[in-house]
Amino acid sequence: MQEGLVMASRGVAAAAVFVLAVGLAFPRDEPPTGESKGIEVFTDSTDETVKKIRAKLFDVPIGKDAIGNEIKIRCWKSTTPNLGERYSYSCHGLTFGGYAANKMSPTNDGASLILEKFYKPIDPADAHAGDVLVWRNSEAIPIHSGIIEKLTTKSDHVLDADKTTVNSKNGVLPEKVETVADLEKFFNTRKNPTTVMIYTLK
């Protein structure tokens, strides 16, 4: 088997790659669009601790479209004290740098707009450590994302799920580097089919 292997240290896994490369600065005082008491973030969770998490919603400008209209993405920021940092952000907050910038996490729709404006899909053969791996559901919604730490392809240039590792955050679990195969087991992709795509900055 011929393998294409790219290595990167965990520090290169760029929580800030999007923020720095694109020049995005999440505003510190952007007025919330949610109610003053906030919104529930993980409403479908069976974990009683997670059900206590509340957040405020923000509309964050990220630039303009082709005809000059401002593009805003919806983000959330935890307002729940004393639950610990790992409960304060999502996979998209890690992947796209929102948490590093100002403890914000884009919603799934927000992540979709970030990908559309600043990223382009690429084949595994062209990918490198630091590129972004995205799981889209049957409705093409990006339900999970992570940063490639080590990329391995098979002889036919298909992603090797057993050897490719990703730095990601599964729900309220801590950040973790694990294989694509392990992530697929976690999300039970046989029962809930997803499409895995690789993106790099334009």
Side-chain angles (χ1 to χ4, degrees), residues 40 44 55 66 84 86 88 101 108-109 125 131 146 154 177 197 200-201:
E40 292 180 359
D44 58 349
R86 71 188 180 96
S88 300
N108 289 343
D109 289 341
D131 287 333
K154 299 179 181 179
V177 176
M197 299 179 68
T200 194
L201 285 165

Side-chain angles (χ1 to χ4, degrees), residues 6-75:
V6 182
M7 301 288 291
S9 69
R10 190 156 191 247
V12 174
V17 69
F18 171 69
V19 176
L20 294 176
V22 178
L24 172 66
F26 281 76
R28 299 282 168 178
D29 300 312
E30 180 78 8
T33 59
E35 298 176 1
S36 59
K37 292 184 179 180
I39 53 102
E40 292 180 359
V41 181
F42 300 100
T43 55
D44 58 349
S45 176
T46 57
D47 186 318
E48 290 302 317
T49 301
V50 175
K51 283 183 178 180
K52 296 176 183 176
I53 299 174
R54 298 184 70 81
K56 287 188 177 181
L57 292 173
F58 295 79
D59 286 330
V60 180
I62 61 168
K64 298 184 182 295
D65 62 19
I67 59 174
N69 296 319
E70 189 172 56
I71 300 172
K72 289 188 176 184
I73 60 170
R74 180 62 56 92
C75 296

Side-chain angles (χ1 to χ4, degrees), residues 150-161:
K150 181 182 75 174
L151 176 71
T152 303
T153 57
K154 299 179 181 179
S155 57
D156 54 0
H157 301 297
V158 172
L159 188 76
D160 190 329

Side-chain angles (χ1 to χ4, degrees), residues 56-104:
K56 287 188 177 181
L57 292 173
F58 295 79
D59 286 330
V60 180
I62 61 168
K64 298 184 182 295
D65 62 19
I67 59 174
N69 296 319
E70 189 172 56
I71 300 172
K72 289 188 176 184
I73 60 170
R74 180 62 56 92
C75 296
W76 62 270
K77 187 173 183 177
S78 175
T79 59
T80 306
N82 305 321
L83 278 182
E85 186 175 80
R86 71 188 180 96
Y87 292 97
S88 300
Y89 63 111
S90 69
C91 59
H92 297 322
L94 167 66
T95 301
F96 300 112
Y99 185 75
N102 194 21
K103 301 188 183 302
M104 287 188 179

Side-chain angles (χ1 to χ4, degrees), residues 177-193:
V177 176
E178 54 192 326
T179 66
V180 172
D182 287 338
L183 282 165
E184 289 174 345
K185 289 176 188 174
F186 179 84
F187 287 105
N188 196 1
T189 54
R190 288 188 177 181
K191 183 178 179 181
N192 306 295

Side-chain angles (χ1 to χ4, degrees), residues 107-182:
T107 62
N108 289 343
D109 289 341
S112 186
L113 286 172
I114 290 172
L115 289 166
E116 181 181 327
K117 181 167 178 60
F118 298 109
Y119 287 79
K120 62 182 179 182
I122 55 173
D123 293 327
D126 299 320
H128 299 87
D131 287 333
V132 171
L133 211 59
V134 175
W135 282 257
R136 291 183 181 270
N137 65 12
S138 58
E139 298 175 343
I141 296 170
I143 59 170
H144 187 63
S145 63
I147 304 164
I148 297 173
E149 289 273 322
K150 181 182 75 174
L151 176 71
T152 303
T153 57
K154 299 179 181 179
S155 57
D156 54 0
H157 301 297
V158 172
L159 188 76
D160 190 329
D162 292 314
K163 295 182 179 179
T164 296
T165 56
V166 178
N167 183 28
S168 70
K169 189 175 186 305
N170 303 337
V172 296
L173 296 177
E175 286 182 35
K176 184 179 180 182
V177 176
E178 54 192 326
T179 66
V180 172
D182 287 338

